[in-house]
Amino acid sequence: MSGRDHLGEFEHIVLLALIRLGDRAYGVSVRQEIATCIDRDVSVGAIYATLDRLEAKGYVTSSMGEPTAKRGGRPKRFFRVTAKGMSALDRARRALLSMSKGLKLVGRYV
Amino acid sequence: MNPSNFQPPVIAIWLIDLLIPEAQKESVKGDLLEESSDLATKYGESSARSWYWRHSTRTIARLMFRTPWVVAIAVFGAFFAVIAVAGFILVQRLDIDAYVPFTKSATYLLFLYGTGTLELLAASVVVAMLARGKETIATVLFGLTLLLVFVAADMIAHRHALLLTHPTFLIVNSVLIAIVGVFVRKKRSKAERRLLGG
């Protein structure tokens, strides 16, 4: 695994948001899903910068939708998680589980 | 208010068009308009406008350094800042008469090569940090911009262009910038691998 193949925290969150949204994953819906699930207000730019990085790593693919009047005739850019992205998520999840195994975090530092 | 009637700030749109990479421009503008139109319906146009400004500036700040010409200008700015500061410090410390004797002395050569080295180091680090894999495009644009500025300055100052010295300097400089850029990226990858324990 090269140094650039690991998932950062925000990349992890964005990938999970894409999976939750399925076919409806584009800039606005991803932003809103993150705000709803973890109460974190992120900019459209942060989402796109992260999605671009994930696309460069081969973890997501994107496709353009139809232009709509609500968006001033501009298309949505839809994103999907690839098989490589799924395995990166699984790797990250297993790494977190291994690292936290046997630890009793609640009550120890709080 | 009908959401479709909301008009985003013209200057914000102009800045997005200018600074955000071509591939993302349309979808970003569409996303910002979609959310701000909803806000205009719920909370009024002024809230939507302020939301649009806040998010468009944050978005531009995140994506602008993916646009090659912005990277070139940032490097160019760093170049002149370093030259100006180094020159000022040198002239002040050595109490140099900035005119006739200065241009013919060893101090002048020290100034020239010293600031040249500083400029090279600063530009290389800036390119490596900002370009993120687009060093070649950034370096070529940087070199071309410098070439145009130096030739224009020569034409104005001396009524002729030093067509051999400056392009040579620029080509060597650009190659060195690219090499240092690769070196910095490799160091960064190593540091990431160390963090991962790989």
Side-chain angles (χ1 to χ4, degrees), chain B residues 61-77:
Chain B
R62 287 302 292 258
L63 299 177
M64 68 189 287
F65 289 115
R66 287 157 189 258
T67 312
W69 76 264
V70 176
V71 176
I73 285 182
V75 173
F76 198 52

Side-chain angles (χ1 to χ4, degrees), chain A residues 48-64:
Chain A
Y48 274 94
T50 306
L51 285 168
D52 261 14
R53 210 162 48 239
L54 290 170
E55 197 166 21
K57 288 178 179 177
Y59 294 168
V60 304
T61 53
S62 69
S63 58
M64 299 305 272

Side-chain angles (χ1 to χ4, degrees), chain A residues 2 6 31 35 37 39 56 75 96 102 106-107:
Chain A
S2 86
H6 74 283
R31 214 181 80 75
C37 291
D39 195 23
L96 281 174
V106 180

Side-chain angles (χ1 to χ4, degrees), chain A residues 89-102:
Chain A
L89 262 176
D90 186 49
R91 230 177 16 242
R93 189 183 59 85
R94 278 189 282 116
L96 281 174
L97 284 174
S98 299
M99 289 302 292
S100 49
K101 199 173 176 184

